[in-house]
Amino acid sequence: MSTPDKTPAKSETLSEHGMKRRNFIIAGAAAGGGLLIGFALPKMFEDKGGHSTPANSEKAAREAFSPNAFIRIDKEGLVTLVMSKVEMGQGTFTSITMLIAEELGVDPAQVKLAQAPADEKKYADPLLGGQVTGGSTSIRGAWEPMRKAGAVARTMLVSAACQDWNVDAKECRVENGYVLHSGSEKKIGYGELVEKAATLPVPQEVTLKEAKEFTLIGKPIKRLDSPQKVNGQAVYGIDVRQPNMKIATVAMSPVLGGKVVSVDDSKARNIKGVRKIVKLDDAVAVIADHMWAAKQGLAALDIKWDGGRNETLMMKDIIGQLDQASSDKGRAAPGAVATSEGDFKAAFAKADVKFEAVYQLPFLSHAAIEPMNATVHVQKDRCDVWVGTQVPAMAQAGAVGITKLPPEKVFIHNHHIGGGFGRRLDVDFINQAVAIAKTVDYPVKLMWTREEDMQHGIYRPYYYDRLSAGLDKDGNITAWKHQVTGSSIMSRWIPQFVKNGLDSDAVEVAREPLYAPANIFVEYIRQEPPGMLTGWWRGVGATHNTFMVESFIDELAHKVGKDPLQYRLANMKNSPRAKHVLEVAAKEAGWGQPLSKGSGRGLSVQYAFGTYVAQVAELEVKEDEVHIKRVVCVVDCGMVVNPDHVKAQMEGGINFGISGALWGEITVNNGKVEQSNYDNYRVMRMRESPVIEVHLVQSSEAPGGIGEPGTAAIAPALTNAIFAATGKRIRNLPIKNSLTAA
Amino acid sequence: MITLNVNGKEHALDVTDDTPILWALRDVIGLTGTKFGCGKALCGACTIHLDGQATRSCITPVSLASGKKITTIESIGETEVGKRVQDAWLALDVVQCGYCQSGQIMSASALLAQTPNPSDEDIDNAMSGNICRCGTYPRIKAAIKNAAKA
């Protein structure tokens, strides 16, 4: 079922900023004996004038090599992998270990995992350019370098054994941490070889295994983190305990962006277990012996707030501003052009059929079950931060700013994450914990309550998109326009990658729809919502624009009376892999087979994160409630490292996306977020979880990302199915509002 | 002072009667396998057994545990049913981020102890108080069924 595709992977999230670099593998002796393998990034070795010196990079790399490498093999043969990625459920602890173990010839279950310290350069993601776990990049970035590193280590260990035995490397093989000689059946453990191996030259070229030789890659290897996650032993950020540690919780301004005017803490100070009240600009914290005392203390505070300019902020203000900014007439400045090919205006003017629609997506909370938290100990000469974060180096930079300590004195101890989904790409809560801990001499664990977590989130932006298409008399798309209006996350988070006002995340998927007519115009209009901080949410730009594009194409199909599957296939250009996933999904889902009244099927297809996904949702609408029966998902993510991980990520990603599509919305009323907990921010529960069937396409293409595609593609499959079931077109999410409103 | 029996061990705690069991376990005794998620019995991450009954520890005060036996995720594997559930979880690699799974396993163990062969409806009823934001529900359900058969 291999379907080679020459479409370049241009639309990988954030990968288009020219951050790809060549890595140099370096090796050396570990302190206390043993072999270290690491990378040196050429960027580390820029000269004083800022010019990199690639010719000398490897030499420089060797000289500058420090023992924060990522593979260590000690004299007992224990292999330690220093993980630059954090584990938040996506499975990278296991899959990256598999990549190294495949080439190194060790059992992944015997590899010891350690979390990388904060270091923006040493542990940078090759696609993102910083120490970030996000954007479904882990395997795409690790695929080649990690296997190569394993192969370098293996080659050096084999060379060491060959020197001992005075035999040729060709006669040797590796197995389970041993080098074996075929002729004599001699066998020696890696631990006995590391000292000699560390003195050998690093091989310039290593041969990586061919796919047919893989013994781990492509196999459903069990997750390495499962055992400790079923018996309560896994340590998340929130589980950290330090000697003399106290617990803090906070109240932040109910009105977004508001400030503390005054605090009367006389009652709170009398509560048993309360140690200290800390007044910050925008929050008040209570430090206590345990969370219950801290919460009681918080409830006893009398805080006067100044809501500031957001005190009268309503949703209609935010939506009104987006509406105005999105219209050609009302806009203050021209949009940033993402795509402009052919002549949209002329083609649209002479189209036989014209169609326009506006779609809206709400603010969303991540609502990870582990609330935001961090444990911090600030001392005179050092600061320790225990936390689960997607961005350790950013956390370090934040703590440096607050404590004024040098970066090498700020230690980020990363932990398992109890749900990231993009929320832990921000460090607001870590900074707050540092600011609180700075006022005392003991370690403080700051925990947000669910209510503070939901009401002071960093929300997925509200998007307000206009789409227009012109069709010829046969229904073929001749003109396509997509105007994206919303907040620019990149402008806050990585402003250096916003070029000419274009936020490439905001137009991800939209800028290169799978349906590419000759005349296409895509632009981005930045409109920041007052009061709301916006950030990454699982599926990022693809979650936003796959909904827009896949809703619109479905509408066009119905407009001209064509079958949505056939219409997509007919209008798709140059994408055999996309066509293939769509056709397989339709077949597996029984597309076209009759369903009972009130039931329907809906399609979506997507290319994002280097991965093709097609989904067919089958559902029934009864009394304004949507009952999802079944989702068929076909994935072509190129080479599959761990098929069970891909399936798990699709299952979970789809369910995450369903919660958002059916019920998810954060709204403000007089500047206050109205949702506060899982009772009024509804998320999926067991009884709402549909049957999900995941099919993987065999492929020899480079691996694509898997953490986010499932989430990004589900919403339009649902709304398209609702249209098929009821004739009701849903252009605004969440579905619950649109179903009851219409 | 209040005395709690946790996983077969007595703990004398200097906390007020209204302190939720969750914080007594996590912040005072130091058993962190039981998780905090919502504080209002909406998510199930804090589920423990109180004399074998699945109980949301975030809203249950320590005073109600007096004279009763608390079982947490740290010791559920010592029961026959709990071990079966954990093994079923491992066999299907149910977990993703894993944060909710302590609570899921505690709810599932209580269900199977009372209803050895649960129907889909039984599972939905017993498990719908436990949220999993990673969306591992299909595997949780399959694992419960496998554990029932084992």
Side-chain angles (χ1 to χ4, degrees), chain A residues 647-677:
Chain A
K647 285 184 181 167
Q649 285 305 298
M650 292 303 142
E651 293 164 3
I654 286 166
N655 278 343
F656 192 84
I658 289 173
S659 284
L662 287 180
W663 310 296
E665 72 172 332
I666 289 290
T667 53
V668 290
N669 186 357
N670 288 322
K672 297 174 186 165
V673 170
E674 294 183 288
Q675 295 71 24
S676 57
N677 209 319

Side-chain angles (χ1 to χ4, degrees), chain A residues 89 222-223 226 229-230 236 238-239 241 272 291 366 369 450 644 648 651-652 655 677 684-685 687, chain B residues 14 18 20 26-27 35 37-38 40 42 86 91 93 96-99 125 128 131 133-135 137 139:
Chain A
K222 288 271 176 272
R223 294 181 67 109
S226 274
K229 286 180 174 177
V230 303
Y236 298 81
I238 205 167
D239 300 329
R241 292 173 63 78
K272 185 176 150 96
M291 184 65 165
H366 304 79
I369 302 190
R450 170 60 45 198
D644 198 50
E651 293 164 3
N655 278 343
N677 209 319
M684 180 190 278
R685 292 172 183 275
R687 65 172 77 256
Chain B
D14 183 18
D18 59 351
R26 289 183 56 86
D27 290 353
K35 302 303 187 201
C38 69
K40 288 191 172 165
L42 296 167
Q86 286 175 330
D93 252 354
Q96 289 187 26
C97 93
Y99 191 77
N125 287 339
S128 281
I131 293 170
R133 284 293 279 152
C134 297
Y137 301 117
R139 292 185 188 218

Side-chain angles (χ1 to χ4, degrees), chain A residues 244-264:
Chain A
N244 305 316
M245 181 183 84
K246 304 290 175 206
I247 304 291
T249 194
V250 285
M252 289 176 268
S253 170
V255 174
L256 293 166
K259 303 281 180 213
V260 181
V261 176
S262 64
V263 191
D264 177 356

Side-chain angles (χ1 to χ4, degrees), chain B residues 25-125:
Chain B
L25 290 172
R26 289 183 56 86
D27 290 353
V28 185
I29 298 173
L31 286 171
T32 56
T34 305
K35 302 303 187 201
F36 167 49
C38 69
K40 288 191 172 165
L42 296 167
C43 79
C46 67
T47 307
I48 56 162
H49 292 181
L50 204 52
D51 279 349
Q53 295 289 324
T55 303
R56 311 294 184 218
S57 68
C58 73
I59 56 156
T60 309
V62 289
S63 56
L64 290 185
S66 183
K68 294 186 178 172
K69 285 191 162 63
I70 294 172
T71 308
T72 71
I73 187 69
E74 283 89 350
S75 77
I76 194 67
E78 291 163 23
T79 68
E80 189 275 329
V81 173
K83 177 76 168 60
R84 253 196 289 146
V85 170
Q86 286 175 330
D87 288 346
W89 249 244
L90 292 174
L92 289 182
D93 252 354
V94 169
V95 311
Q96 289 187 26
C97 93
Y99 191 77
C100 74
Q101 300 293 350
S102 295
Q104 304 280 2
I105 287 169
M106 295 308 285
S107 289
S109 303
L111 165 68
L112 290 181
Q114 277 155 22
T115 313
N117 291 296
S119 64
D120 278 20
E121 187 58 27
D122 292 333
I123 296 174
D124 284 349
N125 287 339

Side-chain angles (χ1 to χ4, degrees), chain A residues 109 117 154 281 415 553 560 607 697 701:
Chain A
R154 182 197 67 226
D281 273 358
H415 286 76
I553 193 77
V560 296
Y607 175 61
V697 174
E701 299 287 325

Side-chain angles (χ1 to χ4, degrees), chain A residues 309-539:
Chain A
R309 62 194 166 91
N310 294 323
E311 266 183 344
T312 57
L313 179 68
M314 304 298 281
M315 278 314 288
K316 65 174 168 47
D317 303 326
I318 294 173
I319 299 167
Q321 289 171 11
L322 288 163
D323 176 30
Q324 189 179 347
S326 74
S327 75
D328 293 334
K329 285 179 191 137
R331 184 184 314 167
V337 177
T339 308
S340 180
E341 285 164 23
D343 187 340
F344 168 80
K345 267 187 193 163
F348 189 71
K350 65 177 186 200
D352 294 306
V353 180
K354 294 185 173 86
F355 188 71
E356 297 179 90
V358 176
Y359 300 89
Q360 299 177 54
L361 293 178
F363 293 112
L364 291 176
S365 167
H366 304 79
I369 302 190
E370 181 191 6
M372 297 305 111
N373 68 85
T375 302
V376 181
H377 191 193
V378 181
Q379 300 175 76
K380 202 166 82 207
D381 56 350
R382 66 180 283 151
C383 171
D384 288 89
V385 179
W386 297 267
V387 67
T389 176
Q390 294 174 254
V391 284
M394 208 180 270
Q396 185 188 46
V400 164
I402 296 162
T403 60
K404 310 294 177 207
L405 286 164
E408 63 272 18
K409 297 291 182 195
V410 174
F411 302 90
I412 306 296
H413 311 277
N414 211 356
H415 286 76
H416 281 293
I417 284 182
F421 316 124
R423 180 62 181 89
R424 287 177 162 97
L425 285 165
D426 272 293
V427 298
D428 49 324
F429 57 97
I430 307 174
N431 289 342
Q432 190 182 64
V434 176
I436 294 165
K438 213 178 92 165
T439 67
V440 293
D441 57 7
Y442 45 81
V444 177
K445 181 196 291 184
L446 169 67
M447 281 184 274
W448 284 8
T449 58
R450 170 60 45 198
E451 288 77 12
E452 293 296 334
D453 184 295
M454 194 158 282
Q455 302 194 315
H456 295 88
I458 297 204
Y459 304 107
R460 195 285 301 274
Y462 196 108
Y463 288 106
Y464 193 101
D465 288 17
R466 293 174 188 273
L467 283 94
S468 323
L471 315 177
D472 67 17
K473 59 179 177 11
D474 299 319
N476 299 308
I477 306 166
T478 54
W480 178 284
K481 183 164 83 170
H482 186 161
Q483 297 168 289
V484 172
T485 304
S487 167
S488 170
I489 303 168
M490 286 176 63
S491 295
R492 175 180 69 83
W493 207 79
I494 33 170
Q496 64 272 33
F497 296 127
V498 178
K499 302 269 160 61
N500 300 319
L502 181 64
D503 180 312
S504 56
D505 168 68
V507 295
E508 171 77 16
V509 169
R511 73 192 305 176
E512 284 183 313
L514 290 165
Y515 322 99
N519 305 289
I520 173 169
F521 183 79
V522 180
E523 66 175 342
Y524 169 62
I525 301 113
R526 183 178 177 190
Q527 175 65 41
E528 293 299 333
M532 312 286 283
L533 262 181
T534 61
W536 311 109
W537 195 89
R538 193 172 187 178

